[in-house]
Amino acid sequence: MINPNDKNLPKVDVEDPAASEHVKVSRRLFLGGSAALMGAAGTMGAGMGGMLTPSVAHASTGSANVGPGELDEYYGFWSGGHSGEVRILGLPSMRELMRIPVFNVDSATGWGLTNESKEVLGEGHYLNGDCHHPHMSMTDGHYDGKYVFINDKANTRVARIRCDIMKTDKITTIPNCQAIHGLRVQKVPHTKYVFANAEFRIPHPNNGLNMDDVKGYYTLFNGLDAESMDVAWQVIVDGNLDNTDADYTGKYAFSTCYNSEGAVDLAGTMRAERDHLVVFNIALIEAAVKAGKFIKLPGSDVPVLDGRKGSKLTRYIPVPKNPHGINTAPGGKYAVANGKLSPTVTVFELAKFDDLFADKIKPRDTVVAEVELGLGPLHTAFDGKGNAFTTLFIDSQVCKWNVEKAIQAYKGEQVDYILQKLDVHYQPGHNHTTMGETRDADGKYLISLQKFSKDRFLQCGPLHPENDQLIDISGDQMKLIHDGPTYAEPHDCMIVHRSKVKTRKIYDRKDPTFAGTVAMAKADGVTLETDNKVIRDGNKVRVYMTSIAPVYGINEFKVKLGDEVTVIVTNLDQIEDVTHGFCMVNHGAQMEISPQQTASITFTADKLGVQWYYCNWFCHALHMEMRGRMLVEPA
Ligand code: K7E
Ligand code: CUA
Ligand code: CA
């Protein structure tokens, strides 16, 4: 039997700047060495041991082709829509690189099953989610590679993903409201706040006694502290809230509203010719909180401010008609609201917001253009060269237009502000350009996310995938270069140059994601890195084991029928990519344990006799043999 704690097993110092080279060397040592140790023929083969450093795709545009072994230039963070997860794609290849479970339950990683993930999800968590808007934290208007935030419309939550390990580390349920939809981050000076729109108006208190008083319903704009993920404040608004964005000074956030009518039926939401953009003054909101000028709603301790019409904290700018997306241009000079039921986009000059709050100008004086693009404008992206790209849902097109020319045209000059319309397939919602929501917009690629794929792919039954199309925008003309099917309506995505993202190769043993488990082990007198121990605590049994390819530190353990069993596995492997799993057969228990990670899972030993457990992440030539027995005796 191999001893997982054998000092002769290869080790890597992960903090060593040359670690990646060590990792490669160790991988060869490891595969050769362990094969020799086991006396077994065959290893996972030259594919792994002989892996070469992949070359980097050169920065040419015009093709989605990234050759085998070549790396993509961009990370795309894709909302998984009502799958409840976030996905990472490589661009321009559009290859799916990873899935990050967030609001869903994930069989492969044990997200929603492990104790560590349940701590993030909360007790009695929901099994569904509906993600729309993934956005990365920023410093001075540049992506800082720290976090990605994502909304859950289905259960009124906001989650944070840590970009060093690409795992969800915090989930906050927003009190006093229903359906978090629009989400963006404060761009400048850094992401202190995550801005989150609650969409649906509800009675307050929502106690079943005042449901007919529709006029009294309201919803809230939320500022979350990006570090603690606590809701810092909430602002009551008129109408409902759809999408949101922030400016490049750190002073303002703004949200579209499609239901200024306050209607509860479809026809009612279309009655008015104009709804509005609500502008939030962050400094005034902070000052009001500090001065104690807030109320608390029964559901929480969060300071709630009144930002309805007439409030000093907000301004309402009329915008036609049921506007949807609101997008700040990379220079920070303009923001664009997308008219949806109006064929127009509305361009705001953000510098005028100071005068608006000083009551020197009227709300509509901040509008510098309102021009027609086509039917069903939903979202706009930018190339950093003064051009904008707006999705036209009904026309199934992307419209490329020039912002300054649109402003001239709005003044009455004879200029063509529309530069090109490109058919997309079919019915686009969000779009996004490479680095386009930051100061670093580079104008290389545009992604257009279509709600319908119809005939673009082999048919897979009545349910169709969506179609995410990659468009080369580096030249004068947009060129469609790739069709990418995706599952369950991503809504939105975000494209980040790979230089902004630095991920860990293996876990730090001090990683906070399993700090609670480390504390539990300590209380049990167990050192996770060395001990293989079974602790009995009444009818609770805690099984601490290590793993190193291809063995668990514990080969068999005994429990009594009905015991609550917690298995805690610490993966001692220090070799990148050697992830183990733990699956207890017939117990609904399965999880990932990546190198140097600790993970734990709790289940009831409700079946007598021999119960096998096995490693379910392929880790070694002897992966099939990596297993053990739980022996369940009568109580
Ligand atoms: Cu347009 Cu939820 Cu951002 Cu869908 S939202 S498209
Ligand atoms: Cu360990 Cu498969
Ligand atoms: Ca409306």
Side-chain angles (χ1 to χ4, degrees):
M1 171 59 70
I2 195 170
N3 172 5
N5 301 323
D6 188 337
K7 290 197 181 56
N8 295 321
L9 286 170
K11 291 271 150 57
V12 203
D13 176 5
V14 287
E15 299 305 337
D16 185 333
S20 59
E21 200 46 43
H22 284 209
V23 166
K24 274 180 273 166
V25 171
S26 302
R27 184 182 287 127
R28 277 176 225 124
L29 279 174
F30 156 73
L31 286 159
S34 50
L37 271 167
M38 298 304 296
T43 66
M44 277 190 60
M48 206 167 169
M51 194 193 284
L52 298 167
T53 306
S55 58
V56 158
H58 45 93
S60 73
T61 54
S63 164
N65 187 49
V66 177
E70 290 189 338
L71 301 183
D72 280 291
E73 191 179 357
Y74 299 92
Y75 289 93
F77 290 84
W78 250 244
S79 147
H82 36 285
S83 78
E85 65 190 10
V86 166
R87 301 183 192 132
I88 307 177
L89 272 64
L91 261 72
S93 75
M94 302 289 284
R95 295 177 291 197
E96 183 180 289
L97 304 175
M98 186 47 62
R99 296 180 176 198
I100 307 170
V102 185
F103 304 109
N104 57 325
V105 169
D106 181 52
S107 172
T109 57
W111 186 258
L113 305 175
T114 64
N115 296 317
E116 294 74 23
S117 62
K118 281 178 171 172
E119 207 175 301
V120 176
L121 283 155
E123 258 326 298
H125 64 90
Y126 296 107
L127 301 179
N128 70 313
D130 184 9
C131 305
H132 291 221
H133 304 112
H135 290 287
M136 184 179 273
S137 53
M138 296 188 201
T139 300
D140 193 29
H142 308 281
Y143 287 135
D144 63 16
K146 212 169 166 189
Y147 303 122
V148 168
F149 301 92
I150 182 102
N151 74 301
D152 171 27
K153 178 166 172 176
N155 294 305
T156 317
R157 295 176 287 184
V158 175
R160 182 175 80 184
I161 292 161
R162 255 175 62 193
C163 293
D164 59 338
I165 54 172
M166 294 301 176
K167 298 284 186 190
T168 307
D169 82 324
K170 293 253 189 199
I171 296 179
T172 300
T173 299
I174 312 300
N176 309 320
C177 50
Q178 284 179 22
I180 294 296
H181 183 239
L183 178 146
R184 290 277 184 151
V185 300
Q186 192 175 17
K187 301 173 199 278
V188 174
H190 70 280
T191 299
K192 178 178 175 191
Y193 295 116
V194 179
F195 302 120
N197 286 343
E199 182 178 341
F200 299 142
R201 301 165 68 248
I202 53 171
H204 294 271
N206 197 12
N207 56 7
L209 299 177
N210 48 359
M211 293 186 282
D212 292 333
D213 177 22
V214 172
K215 283 209 167 354
Y217 292 11
Y218 62 78
T219 191
L220 300 153
F221 179 71
N222 299 277
L224 280 80
D225 181 302
E227 282 304 324
S228 71
M229 286 292 281
D230 293 332
V231 183
W233 37 258
Q234 301 185 296
V235 180
I236 302 171
V237 294
D238 276 318
N240 71 353
L241 295 172
D242 192 349
N243 278 287
T244 189
D245 205 348
D247 74 343
Y248 280 85
T249 68
K251 286 194 268 191
Y252 304 107
F254 22 82
S255 302
T256 50
C257 161
Y258 64 78
N259 186 21
S260 60
E261 299 89 343
V264 290
D265 61 342
L266 174 68
T269 62
M270 298 189 294
R271 228 170 28 231
E273 279 312 305
R274 281 174 172 176
D275 293 287
H276 53 243
L277 184 80
V278 195
V279 185
F280 300 92
N281 187 316
I282 306 304
L284 293 182
I285 288 169
E286 286 182 327
V289 171
K290 215 171 167 191
K293 288 184 201 152
F294 56 80
I295 58 165
K296 285 181 184 178
L297 292 172
S300 74
D301 267 341
V302 176
V304 177
L305 305 152
D306 195 340
R308 284 174 285 201
K309 283 177 188 164
S311 160
K312 285 188 170 49
L313 310 177
T314 56
R315 290 295 183 272
Y316 288 75
I317 308 175
V319 179
K321 172 184 187 179
N322 291 30
H324 184 59
I326 173 74
N327 304 92
T328 308
K333 200 167 172 195
Y334 304 114
V336 173
N338 301 259
K340 194 165 77 181
L341 299 189
S342 160
T344 54
V345 284
T346 304
V347 182
F348 307 93
E349 189 176 333
L350 299 179
K352 293 182 187 260
F353 284 1
D354 288 349
D355 283 349
L356 177 62
F357 274 90
D359 292 324
K360 288 183 187 156
I361 57 172
K362 297 220 161 58
R364 283 288 298 182
D365 295 341
T366 61
V367 172
V368 290
E370 194 157 83
V371 294
E372 266 191 46
L373 296 183
L375 295 183
L378 287 189
H379 294 280
T380 295
F382 304 91
D383 63 2
K385 300 170 201 161
N387 302 313
F389 304 81
T390 299
T391 52
L392 302 173
F393 180 82
I394 296 168
D395 286 341
S396 278
Q397 287 181 318
V398 173
C399 176
K400 178 178 179 181
W401 54 286
N402 183 278
V403 180
E404 293 297 345
K405 284 184 179 163
I407 294 168
Q408 290 165 13
Y410 189 64
K411 285 182 189 148
E413 292 173 38
Q414 291 298 315
V415 283
D416 279 343
Y417 52 90
I418 294 178
L419 306 177
Q420 187 195 356
K421 286 185 178 180
L422 180 77
D423 290 343
V424 288
H425 314 84
Y426 302 88
Q427 268 75 43
H430 271 275
N431 61 359
H432 211 95
T433 47
T434 39
M435 305 295 277
E437 62 175 6
T438 72
R439 290 191 201 281
D440 304 314
D442 63 15
K444 278 194 183 169
Y445 298 104
L446 172 74
I447 280 284
S448 181
L449 303 171
Q450 277 68 238
K451 307 293 186 186
F452 296 83
S453 60
K454 295 183 189 169
D455 50 5
R456 299 294 282 193
F457 304 110
L458 283 178
Q459 188 140 3
C460 302
L463 183 65
H464 289 230
E466 278 70 56
N467 186 12
D468 302 350
Q469 294 190 306
L470 182 69
I471 296 161
D472 177 5
I473 55 166
S474 60
D476 282 347
Q477 295 288 302
M478 297 183 276
K479 261 193 301 189
L480 175 62
I481 57 174
H482 191 271
D483 269 16
T486 43
Y487 183 56
E489 198 179 348
H491 288 274
D492 196 7
C493 67
M494 166 196 44
I495 310 164
V496 181
H497 193 266
R498 61 162 187 245
S499 60
K500 300 284 181 183
V501 177
K502 300 265 180 289
T503 59
R504 296 193 62 85
K505 293 179 188 303
I506 66 177
Y507 274 87
D508 182 343
R509 286 297 305 148
K510 295 194 181 72
D511 196 287
T513 54
F514 47 82
T517 311
V518 170
M520 179 179 78
K522 203 172 168 200
D524 277 339
V526 168
T527 305
L528 289 168
E529 294 79 3
T530 52
D531 294 350
N532 287 289
K533 265 188 196 166
V534 179
I535 307 278
R536 178 167 281 282
D537 172 7
N539 70 340
K540 292 188 163 78
V541 180
R542 290 185 284 280
V543 182
Y544 291 94
M545 64 172 87
T546 57
S547 71
I548 193 155
V551 284
Y552 294 117
I554 290 181
N555 195 14
E556 61 175 69
F557 61 90
K558 273 191 190 143
V559 299
K560 297 257 188 277
L561 187 69
D563 280 348
E564 183 195 286
V565 181
T566 301
V567 173
I568 305 103
V569 183
T570 299
N571 182 352
L572 296 182
D573 275 305
Q574 304 205 28
I575 296 160
E576 189 179 356
D577 208 0
V578 180
T579 291
H580 296 290
F582 176 88
C583 174
M584 180 64 75
V585 174
N586 292 349
H587 285 75
Q590 179 159 294
M591 62 182 177
E592 159 211 0
I593 317 107
S594 274
Q596 294 291 301
Q597 186 184 10
T598 293
S600 70
I601 197 156
T602 300
F603 53 89
T604 304
D606 56 3
K607 295 178 182 71
L608 279 173
V610 172
Q611 309 293 336
W612 284 95
Y613 54 90
Y614 70 96
C615 175
N616 57 311
W617 279 84
F618 210 110
C619 56
H620 192 275
L622 291 166
H623 158 80
M624 288 297 289
E625 288 81 349
M626 186 165 174
R627 58 193 193 136
R629 287 178 307 157
M630 176 171 73
L631 307 171
V632 185
E633 300 174 326

